[in-house]
Amino acid sequence: MTFITLVDSTLREGNQAPGVKLTTKSTLVIAEALADAGIEFIEAGHPYASRQEFDRVSSLVKSKFAKNVLAHARAHKDDIDAVSATGANWVGIFAGINETSQKYRLRKTKAEIQELVRRSIMHAKSLGLKVRYTIEDASRTHLADLIETFEIAKNAGADRICFADSLGICEPLKVQSTIGLIKKFIPNIDLEVHFHDDRGLAMANTLASIDAGATFVSCTVNGIGERCGIT
């Protein structure tokens, strides 16, 4: 029997839903309800983005509602330092590596991004943080590049890797094949999946991923999230 861990992202992904802006007070109310529901892994905000985001995450940590609190960070030292300062025990470092990420988001070559990821993970580990590394826009990234970059992250000390279907374009059969191959070539590390629901397939893709070996699932209450939400 496979044990699946839910990584509840209501307080981070849900905060990106249209018309939603969570305060520190509402963050704690939701966190307490999540804890009552048995959630032990809560993904919070992006502390470096603003003082309000920093306060939301640090207040969540102090509340002790969650055994594990994960906060977002770009593959930048300052972002990671801000996560560490909140007291969160996990950092979610994210960086895409496909052509779109190279040309328009990070404006770096694939090799430069991979080195940035490696150094960022090593820095986070030096601060005592546990690390989840997410490849953004993974569904539009060549499989060989996914495997190569996840391997770099693993070797740098990442505790978990994450496949993110940032645009919600995946379909279950392809997902099952891709996740199965990632698990085959990158064994002995936890794999999380994060599916957006733009085509109404987030849950189906998640179930296909579990069948292929994923053991962590990013989700939100009622699927709330950016655009059409997530699982």
Side-chain angles (χ1 to χ4, degrees):
M1 181 176 179
T2 302
F3 183 77
I4 305 300
T5 299
L6 300 182
V7 180
D8 191 280
S9 185
T10 306
L11 297 176
R12 198 279 301 170
E13 179 74 45
N15 200 37
Q16 294 177 242
V20 175
K21 186 171 180 61
L22 298 176
T23 64
T24 297
K25 181 179 179 180
S26 57
T27 292
L28 295 178
V29 170
I30 293 169
E32 184 174 17
L34 292 173
D36 288 343
I39 296 295
E40 296 186 351
F41 216 120
I42 293 179
E43 179 181 334
H46 190 149
Y48 185 73
S50 68
R51 184 69 208 186
Q52 183 180 17
E53 282 293 277
F54 183 93
D55 290 344
R56 283 203 315 119
V57 176
S58 59
S59 295
L60 174 59
V61 172
K62 292 173 184 175
S63 75
K64 300 188 183 301
F65 286 136
K67 181 179 179 181
N68 295 291
V69 175
L70 180 148
H72 253 210
R74 296 169 299 175
H76 293 178
K77 179 180 181 296
D78 290 345
D79 284 42
I80 296 165
D81 288 344
V83 171
S84 179
T86 66
N89 59 335
W90 278 81
V91 59
I93 296 174
F94 60 94
I97 56 165
N98 61 13
E99 292 182 3
T100 300
S101 297
Q102 293 174 39
K103 291 181 180 179
Y104 305 112
R105 288 180 61 82
L106 300 178
R107 296 179 182 177
K108 297 179 184 296
T109 66
K110 184 184 75 173
E112 289 172 333
I113 296 171
Q114 289 174 332
E115 177 61 16
L116 190 64
V117 168
R118 187 187 70 83
R119 287 190 281 108
S120 296
I121 292 172
M122 292 180 68
H123 177 64
K125 297 299 290 185
S126 75
L127 296 175
L129 290 165
K130 292 186 177 180
V131 177
R132 179 192 72 191
Y133 168 60
T134 298
I135 294 183
E136 281 189 300
D137 206 3
S139 46
R140 295 195 301 171
T141 303
H142 295 302
L143 178 62
D145 290 340
L146 289 174
I147 292 170
E148 180 182 64
T149 307
F150 278 144
E151 183 71 31
I152 290 170
K154 178 183 175 183
N155 291 339
D159 300 277
R160 188 162 80 246
I161 54 177
C162 179
F163 177 101
D165 179 22
S166 304
L167 299 183
I169 64 172
C170 283
E171 56 86 20
L173 288 178
K174 180 64 180 296
V175 163
Q176 189 167 14
S177 172
T178 300
I179 296 300
L181 287 169
I182 292 172
K183 288 296 295 181
K184 176 182 177 180
F185 288 104
I186 315 289
N188 305 317
I189 188 169
D190 289 323
L191 174 61
E192 181 176 337
V193 290
H194 181 102
F195 289 104
H196 280 258
D197 203 34
D198 297 70
R199 298 173 66 193
L201 293 172
M203 180 61 78
N205 288 328
T206 296
L207 294 175
S209 296
I210 291 171
D211 287 342
T215 52
F216 283 74
V217 172
S218 180
C219 58
T220 61
V221 174
N222 292 335
I224 188 174
E226 186 177 9
R227 302 188 315 276
C228 299
I230 66 169
T231 306

